[in-house]
Amino acid sequence: MSTLNLNDVRSEALFASALQISAEPSAAEVRSELARTIRRMGVRGCAARMAQEFGDAPEASVARMRWARQVVAEVFAPPATRTVAEHHLRLQSSAA
């Protein structure tokens, strides 16, 4: 049984979406387009579109998937739990 990585699904959906690399979409635009694409195509439909594009145009598909993975990583990055200042304060406290 395989596990489904949410960022992999998001990357495949962004790859299959109508968003273009040149548009430099905002985080809100990416989230909205991902929701729209997944609703329209489904998770399997996004994966199928990606596979088809890799078969038809592998070089262009590599660049688009690299972009999609980078955008998804940026948009869905986990928030930092501590600021740098809090980290330094904690280090100073533990050293004393």
Side-chain angles (χ1 to χ4, degrees):
M1 177 173 228
S2 65
T3 57
L4 197 60
N5 181 317
L6 192 52
N7 277 352
D8 288 346
V9 170
R10 290 169 174 155
S11 297
E12 290 170 2
L14 185 56
F15 181 97
S17 76
L19 283 179
Q20 296 299 312
I21 295 172
S22 60
E24 298 182 13
S26 68
E29 290 171 323
V30 169
R31 289 175 186 270
S32 175
E33 186 62 27
L34 286 175
R36 185 173 24 260
T37 302
I38 292 171
R39 269 195 313 271
R40 183 172 46 88
M41 300 178 72
V43 172
R44 289 184 180 179
C46 293
R49 170 70 56 85
M50 181 192 69
Q52 178 184 359
E53 291 298 322
F54 266 95
D56 293 344
E59 295 82 16
S61 296
V62 167
R64 183 160 177 85
M65 182 50 90
R66 185 177 296 125
W67 167 78
R69 292 180 64 80
Q70 179 182 352
V71 168
V72 165
E74 291 171 5
V75 170
F76 295 97
T81 56
R82 287 192 293 249
T83 65
V84 173
E86 290 171 334
H87 178 71
H88 287 298
L89 182 62
R90 185 171 182 214
L91 288 176
Q92 290 171 351
S93 297
S94 65

